[in-house]
Amino acid sequence: PFPPCGVPGASGAMDLAYVCEWEKKPKSNHCPSIPLVCAWSCRNLIAFTTDLKNEEEKDLTHMVHIIDTEHPWDVYSVNSGHTEVITCLEWDQSGSRLLSADADGHIKCWSMTDHLANSWENTVGSQVEGDPVVALSWLHNGVKLALHVEKSGASNFGEKFSRVKFSPSLTLFGGKPMEGWIAVTISGLVTVSLLKPNGQVLTSTESLCRLRCRVALADVAFTGGGNIVVATSDGSSTSPVQFYKVCVSVVNEKCKIDTEILPSLFMRCTTDPARKDKYPAITHLKFLARDMSEQVLLCASNQNSSIVECWSLRKEGLPVNNIFQQISPVVGDKQPMILKWRILSATNDLDRVSAVALPKLPISLTNTDLKVANDTKFFPGLGLALAFHDGSVHIVHRLSLQMMAVFYGSSSQRPADEQTIKRQRTAGPLVHFKAMQLSWTSLALAGIDSHGKLSMLRISPSMGHVLDMNMSLRHLLFLLEYCMVTGYDWWDILLHVQPNMVQNLVEKLHEEYMRQNAALQQVLSTRIVAMKASLCKLSSSTIARVCDYHAKLFLIAISCTLKSLLRPHFLNTPDKSPGDRLTEICSKITDIDIDKVMINLKTEEFVLEMTTLQSLQQLIQWVGDFVLYLLASLPNQGSPVRPGHSFLRDGASLGMFRELMVVIRIWGLLKPSCLPVYTATSDTQDSMSLLFRLLTKLWLCCREENHITEPDDTLIDECCLLPSQLLIPNIDWLPINDGIISKLQNKQLVRLQFGKAPGLVGHTVSSQFDAFVRAPGQPKIDHLRRLHLGAYPTEECKSCTRCGCVTMLKSPNKVTAVKQWEQRWIKNCLCGGLWRRMPLSYS
């Protein structure tokens, strides 16, 4: 069922999206002997090491570099404090902490300072003094999903992405998974560190088996029953690859490790007479996935070639001699079972492998799923990447090891005549990848090459097979839904979205979302808006809607915050919370007079302290301004390129604005200075009730989603008069992002430099957009606090890595209500993106 080697689409399946390199310094050079490592987190941060050494320094400074794939030039390099080469980097499941380990036995855990993606600090760690770490992993937290390709047409997300029963490596009281890490050292020790909730670290070290021997390579995997499996090799292909079961427990506040030996295996190339001594060294040893301890990938090499084998652990019956069946009839009934490693597949002789990257997408591997995947040409998660010393990369099927795609590096020749190859061989080592990682959806591959450059490769979901538009959309949609359910960042999927797909993807995503149950819809309500916004950025026809989606996220957040400030007057009121009752009454009473709606509410629920009300003025002002802007733009609604257009038909959002207007009106009776400020032409006019009246009429036109009517002429006439009655405010829309994704659509390779923001002119989109965004000299604004920062801000700010929203790092406020508002986006932006610290001169 797998594509044969000579696949026609094979070389079109991968292409370079961008390359980012270090500035050339005269006195620095590479240390080819140093191994490099990289790790890719589910939030699309990549951590990697380089082998650059300054000639003036005696020793190499061991740096860890962290980039966000959307702004690769904005690299955060931290001096790791490791005294020896860094041998392992591992992200945790949430993508917010990073482990690094070195050749001196030191393990460090890094976490973000102030939740900033470009600011990291080392908080805790552990060590096995002087004993190099060869394998490292976080303990498993018991969360495992399976993607069922055959169910990709199902309506329910729970069927497409089912939760697999899987026990955490260790649980705290009440079944909560315990955090921690496990490492294997070169001398055959296994060390486990547990992070207690109070910040204490419990560490314990144990020998893997009684006879300790050198461990050159190792890997760690987990079983569904909560055990850990460690695979080790001493580096020689004539020695067996050993497997051990490790159980971790906590006894009397101490960490306890028990190990037992599992069946081992010899690589087949050593037992095959034709290749007996051809591949003396085992160079790569990896479990196919962290949670698949029964499948292992091995690579044996010599100076210029390699062979790769895939093995699986199976239960087999043990044949029993007849003698025993007469003695004890019980044995005859039930054949005893033993575990045995069996080879699944092997490659032919390959060029020498320099790096391996395994898929992280937990795709289900049942026969039906594999068949559907093959019929629909959906390959993410089924391929693993092998990089070779000649600079090329192959993607091979994870079960059959058959070739699925090829990428030829700049130095690797496409198979040409023998002469050029011979000439090349003598020319010295070629540029090749020393470390590689696949993204979490397997749609992108990052490689660090022997010159320290970072390359980002796109991998087509169909591995280069040409599909009709509908099928391509289905593939991307399936992966977008997976990211929506798991909360992972979906940047690597956007790499494959062409401008003509955007409209369709947004509509289909919305349809799938509407098919879920109400509870799940509520959980995913903001994430889907953020997803639509990031898709709309990629096409010039939908660019104005990006503003609308960000405004909608802002509206949802304000509405939740302001409603949560309302308190029931009597504590034991049995029915709904005041916020819910407000929603109910506003939707029931469709009166266009604000005071008649107000009468139905219990005003005592709205009593807040004066300072609280005053501190919310900026948010209240935004609501007032936005309503006025929307109503004033109703008459020329024929132009969808204006931001705000989609709100005019969005009954739910207009209903939210209507509720907020009522709340603000009541608060204004308590403290008039918290009301939104309007510049009106006459002193006697009641601006709030005028806007409420028009807003209600507009809301009545589209409150039922399947029965939307056009606004009547009198409403449009009244809205036409608004600019002569009130000054229409300028709305500060979010800036169009300076990220890389929109520059990658024409499939041209983008060359970047670390530490240097590219002066790239994006596609035509941004030029139309300048009409709505402030020019460089104008005052800046804090998009979330709605405060003006002045033309040249003096306060340190942070910006979102995904939507470009800017806000101050330190809170200027002390009031609890505002603290409550700020808590909503302390870790992530409202769109879910990570924050990064901005340079002070960001103007």
Side-chain angles (χ1 to χ4, degrees):
F2 310 117
C5 282
V7 213
S11 57
M14 300 166 75
D15 66 298
L16 261 179
Y18 62 74
V19 174
C20 203
E21 49 193 320
W22 298 94
E23 196 184 343
K24 294 203 170 33
K25 295 215 174 94
K27 291 236 158 123
S28 60
N29 54 13
H30 300 281
C31 311
S33 59
I34 291 184
L36 297 184
V37 276
C38 70
W40 189 322
S41 83
C42 62
R43 308 294 301 273
N44 282 324
L45 294 177
I46 297 179
F48 62 99
T49 59
T50 53
D51 56 2
L52 281 170
K53 180 179 175 182
N54 198 333
E55 283 176 12
E56 288 152 13
E57 299 170 17
K58 198 162 83 260
D59 301 316
L60 191 75
T61 318
H62 299 285
M63 307 291 276
V64 173
H65 309 283
I66 297 174
I67 60 155
D68 156 42
T69 52
E70 174 73 331
H71 306 91
W73 58 87
D74 186 19
V75 63
Y76 179 72
S77 304
V78 53
N79 183 350
S80 63
H82 284 299
T83 49
E84 291 289 328
V85 176
I86 297 171
T87 54
C88 307
L89 286 173
E90 283 289 326
W91 289 101
D92 71 346
Q93 291 262 294
S94 66
S96 54
R97 282 178 312 184
L98 176 71
L99 285 179
S100 64
D102 67 12
D104 196 25
H106 288 254
I107 300 170
K108 299 188 176 205
C109 173
W110 301 85
S111 51
M112 286 188 236
T113 323
D114 300 337
H115 307 290
L116 295 171
N118 55 357
S119 185
W120 294 78
E121 58 189 357
N122 165 224
T123 39
V124 290
S126 65
Q127 63 193 65
V128 187
E129 202 57 66
D131 201 354
V133 175
V134 287
L136 176 67
S137 171
W138 288 90
L139 295 179
H140 204 285
N141 62 1
V143 177
K144 183 180 176 186
L145 285 177
L147 269 88
H148 299 282
V149 185
E150 65 160 327
K151 299 250 169 61
S152 66
S155 58
N156 181 355
F157 285 166
E159 285 177 43
K160 297 184 196 184
F161 317 111
S162 63
R163 183 87 190 253
V164 181
K165 203 169 174 319
F166 208 88
S167 303
S169 312
L170 196 60
T171 50
L172 290 158
F173 180 72
K176 189 173 183 280
M178 187 148 186
E179 298 190 308
W181 57 83
I182 174 171
V184 182
T185 70
I186 207 160
S187 72
L189 294 176
V190 57
T191 172
V192 175
S193 296
L194 306 175
L195 293 175
K196 292 183 62 182
N198 61 8
Q200 228 182 324
V201 182
L202 298 179
T203 300
S204 171
T205 304
E206 194 59 61
S207 176
L208 268 174
C209 63
R210 291 210 190 109
L211 285 171
R212 266 169 72 182
C213 53
R214 175 172 186 268
V215 175
L217 302 165
D219 199 23
V220 181
F222 301 93
T223 67
N227 290 323
I228 303 167
V229 178
V230 173
T232 69
S233 154
D234 66 1
S236 159
S237 59
T238 51
S239 317
V241 177
Q242 304 275 9
F243 293 86
Y244 304 94
K245 185 166 94 179
V246 177
C247 306
V248 182
S249 51
V250 174
V251 183
N252 304 335
E253 288 295 302
K254 286 213 165 54
C255 171
K256 179 169 177 286
I257 302 174
D258 294 298
T259 62
E260 69 179 76
I261 294 182
L262 293 173
S264 54
L265 66 90
F266 279 97
M267 280 191 73
R268 197 178 68 181
C269 61
T270 55
T271 53
D272 165 8
R275 295 198 174 103
K276 194 153 180 225
D277 303 318
K278 193 172 171 189
Y279 300 108
I282 296 185
T283 49
H284 296 87
L285 159 65
K286 299 251 191 231
F287 285 106
L288 272 178
R290 279 269 181 254
D291 42 27
M292 276 183 61
S293 56
E294 60 284 350
Q295 264 197 358
V296 68
L297 185 82
L298 297 160
C299 168
S301 312
N302 57 28
Q303 284 298 301
N304 19 3
S305 57
S306 293
I307 189 164
V308 176
E309 297 178 1
C310 182
W311 289 72
S312 94
L313 188 65
R314 309 234 176 111
K315 270 197 176 135
E316 294 184 0
L318 196 65
V320 177
N321 194 303
N322 291 340
I323 299 177
F324 296 112
Q325 290 182 2
Q326 288 141 17
I327 304 172
S328 146
V330 186
V331 179
D333 302 346
K334 213 158 125 214
Q335 208 181 11
M337 303 296 277
I338 58 161
L339 286 172
K340 201 161 184 188
W341 284 100
R342 288 277 181 216
I343 187 159
L344 266 182
S345 52
T347 60
N348 296 329
D349 301 355
L350 306 164
D351 201 85
R352 188 166 156 209
V353 172
S354 63
V356 178
L358 296 173
K360 303 183 183 69
L361 194 71
I363 198 145
S364 159
L365 295 172
T366 61
N367 288 339
T368 42
D369 281 316
L370 286 171
K371 186 179 180 321
V372 173
N374 199 49
D375 294 346
T376 56
K377 303 282 174 270
F378 178 80
F379 298 121
L382 288 176
L384 55 96
L386 302 173
F388 298 98
H389 275 270
D390 66 354
S392 63
V393 178
H394 290 185
I395 292 189
V396 296
H397 195 286
R398 63 189 283 179
L399 298 175
S400 68
L401 295 182
Q402 285 192 329
M403 171 101 77
M404 297 165 82
V406 198
F407 169 77
Y408 297 103
S410 50
S411 55
S412 59
Q413 288 287 305
R414 285 169 176 67
D417 58 325
E418 292 293 303
Q419 284 306 309
T420 50
I421 296 182
K422 278 191 184 124
R423 268 207 302 279
Q424 242 186 342
R425 275 282 154 79
T426 54
L430 301 165
V431 179
H432 59 268
F433 291 128
K434 286 172 81 170
M436 274 193 318
Q437 281 266 312
L438 281 162
S439 74
W440 284 64
T441 59
S442 284
L443 292 187
L445 175 74
I448 313 295
D449 67 26
S450 46
H451 283 181
K453 284 204 305 278
L454 175 107
S455 302
M456 177 65 65
L457 285 92
R458 248 192 222 100
I459 302 177
S460 122
S462 64
M463 292 294 168
H465 289 272
V466 182
L467 301 178
D468 62 355
M469 189 57 146
N470 215 357
M471 197 51 115
S472 308
L473 287 175
R474 254 185 61 187
H475 288 351
L476 295 177
L477 191 68
F478 188 46
L479 292 169
L480 281 169
E481 290 164 2
Y482 169 69
C483 289
M484 186 149 67
V485 171
T486 52
Y488 296 161
D489 186 67
W490 57 92
W491 178 89
D492 38 331
I493 304 174
L494 299 180
L495 277 177
H496 297 268
V497 176
Q498 289 301 312
N500 58 350
M501 301 177 171
V502 170
Q503 189 73 30
N504 269 334
L505 268 179
V506 171
E507 282 165 19
K508 287 200 161 82
L509 196 61
H510 184 76
E511 274 167 35
E512 289 296 327
Y513 168 78
M514 295 309 288
R515 289 162 78 178
Q516 308 312 311
N517 61 31
L520 186 59
Q521 279 191 26
Q522 194 174 353
V523 171
L524 303 175
S525 60
T526 52
R527 204 171 289 152
I528 184 167
V529 177
M531 249 182 197
K532 289 177 183 171
S534 64
L535 286 165
C536 286
K537 260 186 201 162
L538 300 175
S539 159
S540 49
S541 55
T542 52
I543 194 84
R545 280 162 53 192
V546 180
C547 293
D548 294 12
Y549 288 128
H550 288 313
K552 187 164 180 175
L553 284 173
F554 197 67
L555 170 65
I556 294 171
I558 286 188
S559 165
C560 293
T561 305
L562 297 189
K563 280 187 193 168
S564 68
L565 295 172
L566 309 179
R567 294 278 171 268
H569 186 53
F570 303 109
L571 282 178
N572 54 1
T573 40
D575 55 351
K576 302 186 174 68
S577 70
D580 294 342
R581 196 158 51 247
L582 167 76
T583 306
E584 196 181 345
I585 286 172
C586 284
S587 61
K588 201 162 64 193
I589 298 174
T590 57
D591 207 302
I592 57 173
D593 183 356
I594 191 164
D595 297 326
K596 287 191 179 153
V597 179
M598 222 166 72
I599 290 168
N600 294 286
L601 291 162
K602 301 184 181 159
T603 32
E604 58 268 27
E605 291 180 346
F606 292 79
V607 178
L608 292 181
E609 289 174 15
M610 296 299 159
T611 49
T612 304
L613 288 178
Q614 190 56 54
S615 68
L616 295 169
Q617 204 277 328
Q618 277 88 9
L619 300 182
I620 290 172
Q621 181 71 43
W622 180 83
V623 173
D625 282 351
F626 205 85
V627 169
L628 174 53
Y629 171 84
L630 283 183
L631 292 168
S633 65
L634 180 65
N636 58 8
Q637 54 174 336
S639 112
V641 295
R642 278 180 71 110
H645 174 76
S646 62
F647 277 98
L648 301 174
R649 293 275 177 283
D650 180 355
S653 299
L654 294 174
M656 275 190 203
F657 276 124
R658 196 167 165 265
E659 291 163 24
L660 292 177
M661 293 287 273
V662 176
V663 176
I664 292 168
R665 178 73 166 200
I666 299 177
W667 282 348
L669 298 174
L670 296 170
K671 184 164 181 69
S673 67
C674 78
L675 285 172
V677 180
Y678 293 113
T679 313
T681 43
S682 83
D683 301 340
T684 51
Q685 150 185 315
D686 182 351
S687 308
M688 288 242 3
S689 59
L690 166 70
L691 292 175
F692 186 83
R693 192 178 81 230
L694 300 176
L695 178 64
T696 303
K697 283 184 179 174
L698 182 57
W699 169 69
L700 289 173
C701 292
C702 57
R703 58 189 284 213
E704 285 160 20
E705 209 177 285
N706 33 16
H707 183 68
I708 291 178
T709 56
E710 283 300 310
D712 58 0
D713 290 346
T714 49
L715 173 58
I716 290 181
D717 290 346
E718 282 189 82
C719 288
C720 280
L721 290 174
L722 272 178
S724 60
Q725 295 165 311
L726 293 165
L727 182 69
I728 309 299
N730 264 340
I731 299 289
D732 278 291
W733 304 101
L734 279 190
I736 260 309
N737 200 345
D738 57 345
I740 190 93
I741 198 87
S742 53
K743 328 265 192 324
L744 298 174
Q745 283 182 311
N746 53 10
K747 298 268 171 113
Q748 293 294 314
L749 167 63
V750 176
R751 292 189 180 282
L752 304 164
Q753 211 180 56
F754 286 120
K756 218 169 169 184
L760 289 176
V761 180
H763 47 44
T764 47
V765 174
S766 33
S767 52
Q768 319 171 350
F769 206 80
D770 294 336
F772 322 124
V773 181
R774 298 187 158 212
Q778 281 183 312
K780 296 285 180 291
I781 185 165
D782 180 326
H783 293 111
L784 296 179
R785 297 189 178 88
R786 308 311 299 180
L787 295 171
H788 290 274
L789 303 174
Y792 301 100
T794 50
E795 285 294 313
E796 267 211 289
C797 291
K798 55 184 182 180
S799 78
C800 167
T801 52
R802 293 292 173 262
C803 68
C805 165
V806 173
T807 183
M808 282 184 285
L809 261 178
K810 298 200 172 50
S811 166
N813 299 316
K814 301 282 179 287
V815 187
T816 34
V818 180
K819 286 262 163 71
Q820 194 174 336
W821 167 241
E822 291 174 356
Q823 278 303 314
R824 284 191 167 271
W825 34 266
I826 197 116
K827 280 189 178 168
N828 304 314
C829 173
L830 295 175
C831 74
L834 290 168
W835 293 113
R836 59 184 185 138
R837 184 193 298 267
M838 297 180 73
L840 247 180
S841 61
Y842 91 92
S843 51

